């Protein structure tokens, strides 16, 4: 039986371990932290508040189901999820409130009622986005962009006719501004650049396919929160024989004769025919492969944004809020200019509030809510984060208080903060960038590190810093791409 080692137990690493186990490998996952999940962890705060630490949005749930089906298991035996009836509640500084209903007709009526955009115009836009997504996803997301076979695939025949409409030579914002005249709807659509840590005023129009995932397929909520995804997949991995070893950081990827032959930790050496790194690609090369030539052009790509998160226990409930809530800034362009050009946080940032107690009441005491409050911020470049945390907190409290007509400060019972420094230290995300490199140029997708390297046979890469990108769905796809590149040994999975 071939041996495989996976470095890191983020969602990409867990998924890669499952796929390799199904293919017949004896898999060991080595994790620096005390538990699995990477950014997808959970914690509790005094008073009975539970929080998902990192990702809060769940789309394309079939990619999780695929792992159970691959192992001849019923996904419903491991975890349950539901489609959200309301995707997001939006709040603008001018007092406009908009409910993004999951039902397309309800959403279109809401947009017409609140923003004056004809229903049919929105329907046509979302139908176009769906058509372009289906024409391109198999080529650009489900396969390696660095293998000739991808471009010889029949899927390319569907992709080529769609290229002129993808917005490759324009920005997300420019494309959205041409499509809709109301600046509030443009801002709503521009925000999807943040789903991979980018700037809609620089990122190519191709990223305007992202809303398809929410508006046409849907947003979902797993029973027990996002952490339940990682928890259920680790259970599956363990059933397949995957060994998870915690508190055991890898210190070196061992190479010999142009091949990765294993890894070294403080506890010993693990020989392997296959090594998969779920660590950010920059520290993978800098720390684990210091003697190997690094792909410098790739490693120097501009970093994505990071996050500043306040986890608050709130001593009342808000019926006007839902699971996902956005409080927009007045000047979106200036907000992104602060992040990507000035390396700081604008005085009026957009605020995202996630409240899992809306769907899992036990995540907060009765009559209370657990607020995950996030602001998009630059990656860590030595800023005075203590001062930025203090100032931004004041701005967030003032902004949300005004929008909801409350004294929010008086309602905060407990608090924890996670900033780019902590994200980098806790998850090995270089400079605290959540998605590796940004997608702020038209070639960004092709400049992301591939899921393999021609320099070292047997070494593969998964996770948010490599192709196809960050976020739960893309990390799961990175695992599929990488595992598909590994030669089949044999499957010992039993139904």
């Amino acid at each position: 039986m071939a041996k495989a080692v996976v470095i890191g137990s983020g969602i990409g690493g867990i998924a890669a371990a499952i796929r390799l186990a199904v293919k017949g490998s004896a898999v060991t996952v080595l994790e620096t932290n005390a538990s699995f999940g990477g950014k997808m962890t959970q914690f509790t705060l005094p008073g009975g508040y539970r929080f998902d630490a990192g990702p809060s949005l769940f789309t394309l749930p079939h990619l999780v189901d695929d792992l159970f089906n691959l192992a001849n298991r019923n996904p419903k035996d491991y975890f349950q999820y539901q489609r959200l009836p309301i995707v997001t509640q939006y709040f603008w500084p001018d007092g406009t409130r908009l409910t993004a209903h999951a039902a397309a007709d309800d959403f279109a009526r809401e947009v017409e009622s609140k923003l004056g955009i004809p229903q049919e115009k929105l329907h046509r836009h979302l139908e176009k986005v769906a058509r372009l997504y289906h024409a391109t996803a198999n080529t650009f997301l489900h396969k390696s962009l660095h293998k000739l076979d991808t471009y010889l695939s029949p899927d390319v025949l569907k992709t080529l006719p769609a290229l002129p409409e993808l917005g490759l030579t324009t920005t997300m914002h420019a494309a959205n501004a041409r499509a809709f005249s109301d600046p509030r709807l443009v801002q709503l659509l521009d925000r999807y650049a943040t789903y991979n840590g980018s700037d809609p005023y620089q990122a190519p129009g191709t990223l305007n396919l992202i809303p398809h995932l929410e508006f046409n397929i849907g947003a979902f909520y797993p029973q027990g929160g996002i952490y339940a995804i990682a928890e259920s997949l680790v259970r599956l991995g363990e059933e397949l024989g995957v060994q998870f070893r915690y508190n055991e950081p890898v210190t070196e990827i061992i190479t010999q004769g142009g091949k990765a032959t294993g890894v070294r930790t403080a506890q010993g050496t693990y020989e392997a025919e296959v090594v998969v790194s779920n660590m950010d690609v920059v520290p993978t090369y800098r720390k684990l492969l210091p003697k190997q030539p690094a792909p410098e052009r790739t490693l120097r790509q501009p970093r994505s944004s990071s996050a500043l998160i306040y986890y608050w226990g709130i001593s009342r409930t808000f019926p006007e809020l839902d699971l996902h809530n956005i409080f927009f800034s007045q000047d979106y362009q200036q907000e992104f200019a602060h992040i990507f050009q000035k390396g700081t946080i604008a005085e009026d940032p957009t605020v995202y509030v996630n409240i899992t107690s809306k769907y899992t009441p036990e995540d907060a005491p009765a009559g209370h809510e657990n607020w995950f409050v996030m602001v998009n911020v630059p990656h860590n470049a030595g800023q005075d984060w203590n001062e930025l945390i203090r100032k931004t907190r004041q701005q967030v409290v003032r902004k949300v208080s005004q929008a909801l007509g409350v004294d929010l400060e008086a309602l905060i019972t407990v608090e924890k903060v996670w900033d780019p420094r902590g994200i980098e230290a806790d998850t090995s995300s270089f400079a605290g960038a959540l998605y590796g490199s940004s997608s702020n140029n038209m070639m960004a997708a092709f400049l992301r590190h591939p899921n393999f390297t021609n320099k070292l046979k047997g070494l593969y890469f998964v996770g948010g810093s490599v192709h196809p990108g960050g976020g739960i769905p893309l990390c799961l796809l990175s695992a599929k791409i990488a595992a598909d590149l590994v030669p089949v040994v044999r499957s010992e999975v039993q139904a």
Side-chain angles (χ1 to χ4, degrees):
M1 180 181 289
K3 295 180 180 179
V5 170
V6 178
I7 304 168
S9 64
I11 188 65
I14 299 169
I18 290 169
R19 289 184 175 275
L20 292 174
V22 170
K23 294 183 77 167
S25 292
V27 186
T28 301
V29 179
L30 298 169
E31 170 58 48
T32 297
N33 294 310
S35 187
F36 55 82
K39 301 180 186 72
M40 194 185 288
T41 56
Q42 67 172 0
F43 64 89
T44 58
L45 290 180
Y49 301 93
R50 189 204 73 89
F51 295 89
D52 286 311
S56 56
L57 176 67
F58 185 35
T59 58
L60 299 184
H62 70 274
L63 296 178
V64 177
D65 290 344
D66 285 350
L67 293 168
F68 294 102
N69 294 328
L70 188 67
N72 296 318
R73 305 297 204 273
N74 182 351
K76 294 182 179 179
D77 291 339
Y78 292 77
F79 85 119
Q80 304 283 332
Y81 58 84
Q82 65 183 97
R83 187 179 184 190
L84 298 174
I86 293 174
V87 178
T88 307
Q89 294 284 9
Y90 290 101
F91 300 79
W92 279 271
D94 67 0
T96 302
R97 297 185 179 188
L98 184 144
T99 299
H101 298 278
D105 288 343
D106 291 342
F107 180 47
R109 280 193 290 269
E110 177 83 352
V111 169
E112 183 175 73
S113 171
K114 300 294 180 60
L115 307 182
I117 304 295
Q119 296 180 42
E120 186 55 37
K121 189 170 185 178
L122 182 64
H123 280 306
R124 286 198 303 269
H125 178 78
L126 295 179
E127 288 166 1
K128 174 185 174 181
V129 169
R131 174 173 54 79
L132 293 176
Y133 178 87
H134 290 299
T136 58
N138 281 344
T139 298
F140 293 126
L141 299 181
H142 292 254
K143 296 184 178 71
S144 172
L145 294 181
H146 305 84
K147 290 287 188 179
L148 180 61
D149 289 352
T150 297
Y151 303 98
L152 300 178
S153 166
D155 289 321
V156 172
L157 297 178
K158 293 194 304 181
T159 299
L160 289 175
L163 292 179
E165 295 184 86
L166 283 179
L168 289 167
T169 59
T170 190
T171 66
M172 288 184 72
H173 175 75
N176 289 327
R178 282 199 302 268
F180 297 103
S181 58
D182 191 287
R184 292 165 296 185
L185 183 57
V186 172
Q187 189 175 28
L188 188 158
L189 295 173
D190 282 352
R191 89 171 185 90
Y192 287 93
T194 66
Y195 280 33
N196 71 354
S198 301
D199 174 0
Y201 298 90
Q202 298 183 66
T206 49
L207 296 191
N208 282 326
L209 299 187
I210 296 174
H212 167 71
L213 306 184
E214 286 188 12
F215 294 127
N216 293 320
I217 299 176
F220 299 80
Y221 181 74
Q223 182 177 321
I226 293 292
Y227 177 75
I229 301 172
E231 187 176 43
S232 65
L233 290 177
V234 167
R235 175 186 161 196
L236 172 63
E238 290 175 339
E239 290 179 5
L240 298 177
V242 176
Q243 299 294 313
F244 290 88
R245 296 180 63 89
Y246 304 110
N247 296 311
E248 190 167 354
V250 172
T251 57
E252 180 186 359
I253 295 174
I254 303 168
T255 64
Q256 185 176 359
K259 179 176 173 58
T261 60
V263 304
R264 185 170 288 117
T265 75
Q267 282 83 352
T269 298
Y270 296 81
E271 296 180 353
E273 289 82 9
V274 174
V275 176
V276 179
S277 179
N278 184 210
M279 180 186 282
D280 187 299
V281 68
V282 176
T284 296
Y285 279 98
R286 302 295 190 220
K287 296 180 180 180
L288 306 186
L289 292 165
K291 298 178 182 179
Q292 293 292 324
E296 297 297 339
R297 184 187 181 195
T298 297
L299 301 191
R300 288 196 300 265
Q301 290 300 302
R303 296 296 91 190
S304 78
S305 60
S306 185
L308 173 55
I309 307 172
Y310 303 91
Y311 306 93
W312 289 337
I314 300 295
S315 62
R316 58 159 282 191
T317 61
F318 288 83
E320 65 267 46
L321 300 181
D322 209 270
L323 177 66
H324 303 295
N325 309 275
I326 293 287
F327 298 83
F328 276 122
S329 64
Q330 184 70 49
D331 191 332
Y332 221 29
Q333 188 165 9
Q334 276 300 307
E335 182 179 352
F336 284 98
H338 275 75
I339 295 172
F340 289 99
Q341 296 168 32
K342 299 179 180 180
T344 188
I345 308 172
E347 291 188 3
D348 175 29
T350 293
V351 178
Y352 166 70
V353 179
N354 174 255
I355 311 172
T356 62
S357 58
K358 295 289 187 182
Y359 283 81
T360 307
E362 55 267 33
D363 282 355
H368 292 223
E369 293 180 343
N370 63 332
W371 282 27
F372 167 112
V373 182
M374 188 188 83
V375 172
N376 292 303
V377 302
H379 66 270
N380 180 29
Q383 297 94 328
D384 183 351
W385 285 108
N386 291 338
E387 179 62 12
L388 286 173
I389 290 167
R390 184 192 66 79
K391 288 178 60 177
T392 303
R393 186 185 187 281
Q394 291 178 341
Q395 294 152 0
V396 169
V397 169
R398 182 168 57 249
K399 183 185 192 72
V400 178
S401 294
Q402 182 176 354
L404 299 180
V406 298
D407 177 5
L408 184 61
E409 183 66 56
L411 302 176
I412 300 172
T413 65
V414 65
E415 176 180 82
K416 179 179 178 179
V417 179
W418 207 21
D419 65 70
R421 299 168 301 181
I423 292 170
E424 180 173 20
D426 296 340
T427 70
S428 294
S429 299
F430 179 63
L434 293 179
Y435 306 93
S437 58
S438 68
S439 294
N440 288 339
N441 65 74
M442 65 179 292
M443 296 303 295
F446 299 91
L447 294 174
R448 293 188 81 85
H449 196 287
N451 306 98
F452 65 96
T453 171
N454 289 320
K455 303 292 185 182
L456 290 169
K457 293 182 179 180
L459 178 59
Y460 302 89
F461 300 84
V462 300
S465 70
V466 300
H467 177 70
I472 296 171
L474 298 191
C475 286
L476 291 171
L477 288 174
S478 77
K480 181 180 186 302
I481 293 168
D484 285 348
L485 295 172
V486 176
V488 176
V489 182
R490 61 191 176 91
S491 177
E492 296 191 347
V493 177
Q494 301 297 318

